[in-house]
Amino acid sequence: MTPPQAKTWSQRGRTPLVRVRGRSRRRVSIAALTCFKPGHRSRLIYRPRRDDGQRDGRKSFSWRDYRDLLIAAHQQLGGPIVLVWDNLNVHKAAGLREWAAARDWLTIYYLPPYAPDLNPVEGIWSLLRRGWLSNVAFSTPEHLIQRIRRGLRHIQYRSHLIDGCLAETGLAIRTG
């Protein structure tokens, strides 16, 4: 919710002042999966998580949160999942690895270290930032979450946007 710093113009000798509320220590985190299956429309499954200053003291997703997201995705998609993940440390947590190893419906591959250009979810974040989150001064964390949900829902129901995020990576889905 902290506004970005930028330069602007004003009359000579008059420094422009932009008043904003104090910094918020709260954070909104989002986990998302882009789902592709040849012959079917692309899907976006996401979960926002607001740090309310309570819970387990974490400000972002734990491996258990990712586990729950994968369980929900498996139930929604109704089939095996081949997951291609970036190298976020929580994605490689021991608890998540142990849990995943016990699931025959889940296969995990990791992208090379620091390869955001190969990750279609990065395209989703770009669409969200350039669209529904741009040019808005958020007054409350709820206002921010509302805009995030609206933007992700818009993307979610337009599979061509999700397909474009995959196409931008240069990767292709092959079966067999």
Side-chain angles (χ1 to χ4, degrees):
M1 291 198 23
T2 305
Q5 292 182 352
K7 294 186 179 188
T8 187
W9 296 92
S10 73
Q11 291 179 340
R12 181 174 291 174
R14 294 191 179 185
T15 303
L17 294 177
V18 179
R19 298 191 192 284
V20 294
R21 298 172 78 187
R23 288 184 178 259
S24 171
R25 288 188 171 40
R26 294 195 173 117
R27 171 190 285 183
V28 175
S29 298
I30 312 163
L33 300 171
T34 51
C35 307
F36 304 97
K37 184 176 182 181
H40 293 79
R41 87 178 184 75
S42 301
R43 310 254 315 254
L44 174 66
I45 299 172
Y46 65 91
R47 297 286 182 274
R49 180 184 195 274
R50 178 178 169 202
D51 169 36
D52 56 6
Q54 298 173 7
R55 279 186 80 168
D56 56 4
R58 292 187 60 89
K59 292 186 179 296
S60 60
F61 283 85
S62 70
W63 72 266
R64 289 176 186 84
D65 295 321
Y66 285 105
R67 176 199 62 198
D68 296 344
L69 177 62
L70 291 171
I71 291 169
H74 178 60
Q75 290 172 348
Q76 286 182 38
L77 300 171
I81 295 176
V82 177
L83 183 64
V84 181
W85 245 345
D86 60 16
N87 286 281
L88 186 66
N89 60 357
V90 73
H91 292 169
K92 294 186 168 191
L96 188 57
R97 283 182 180 234
E98 291 169 13
W99 176 84
R103 305 298 176 274
D104 60 348
W105 52 266
L106 181 61
T107 305
I108 299 178
Y109 294 98
Y110 292 95
L111 290 170
Y114 196 72
D117 51 322
L118 298 178
N119 189 346
V121 175
E122 294 296 333
I124 300 295
W125 303 145
S126 178
L127 286 170
L128 189 61
R129 279 191 307 269
R130 288 183 296 128
W132 295 270
L133 302 183
S134 65
N135 298 323
V136 179
F138 299 106
S139 54
T140 64
E142 291 75 22
H143 182 208
L144 173 61
I145 290 171
Q146 177 189 33
R147 289 294 291 228
I148 289 169
R149 284 184 187 272
R150 185 179 299 153
L152 288 173
R153 208 173 305 119
H154 181 87
I155 296 168
Q156 192 175 37
Y157 293 119
R158 287 160 181 81
S159 61
H160 67 280
L161 293 175
I162 303 168
D163 292 339
C165 293
L166 177 63
E168 186 64 27
T169 67
L171 301 175
I173 305 292
R174 285 187 281 178
T175 58

